[in-house]
Amino acid sequence: MREETYRLDRYLTQLLRADWFEGVRGVLLGSWQECDPYEKVRALLADRLGGLGVPVVEEFGFGHCEGALTVPFGVRAELDADARTLTLDEPALR
């Protein structure tokens, strides 16, 4: 699904205002291939997420791309931003 940058801005702004990112220790971002040019999207992401003061890993292989990975929500995991790896600490399904 194609997402315009202004819509991504609206989504992120709403999440930030709702304190959804409070306490995060890192942010994992997927692919934005089916969106506006990446330079435009990246500038928005840097502006909105840069103030969190946590590692941000870009283009991890899920999201708007062919062959997208499935990344579970609500599962404890360890993000190594330098190595660009995500290790799940528990099963994604029970």
Side-chain angles (χ1 to χ4, degrees):
M1 176 180 180
R2 179 168 171 74
E3 293 288 359
E4 302 291 334
T5 303
Y6 77 90
R7 293 177 69 188
L8 297 172
D9 183 16
R10 184 175 63 213
Y11 301 148
L12 283 173
T13 299
Q14 183 175 7
L15 291 171
L16 286 163
R17 288 183 177 172
D19 292 329
W20 194 83
F21 290 102
E22 187 173 319
V24 300
R25 297 176 56 193
V27 176
L28 186 66
L29 299 172
S31 170
W32 308 93
Q33 291 177 7
E34 298 295 324
C35 299
D36 282 338
Y38 189 61
E39 301 79 39
K40 188 174 179 180
V41 173
R42 188 169 198 262
L44 166 71
L45 296 170
D47 183 64
R48 294 295 178 268
L49 300 175
L52 295 175
V54 299
V56 177
V57 178
E58 304 175 77
E59 299 198 54
F60 200 75
F62 64 90
H64 297 268
C65 64
E66 189 173 321
L69 301 171
T70 300
V71 178
F73 286 104
V75 174
R76 291 185 47 88
E78 181 177 331
L79 174 62
D80 184 333
D82 294 326
R84 298 181 49 83
T85 60
L86 180 71
T87 305
L88 300 182
D89 293 338
E90 59 187 74
L93 301 172
R94 296 174 196 232

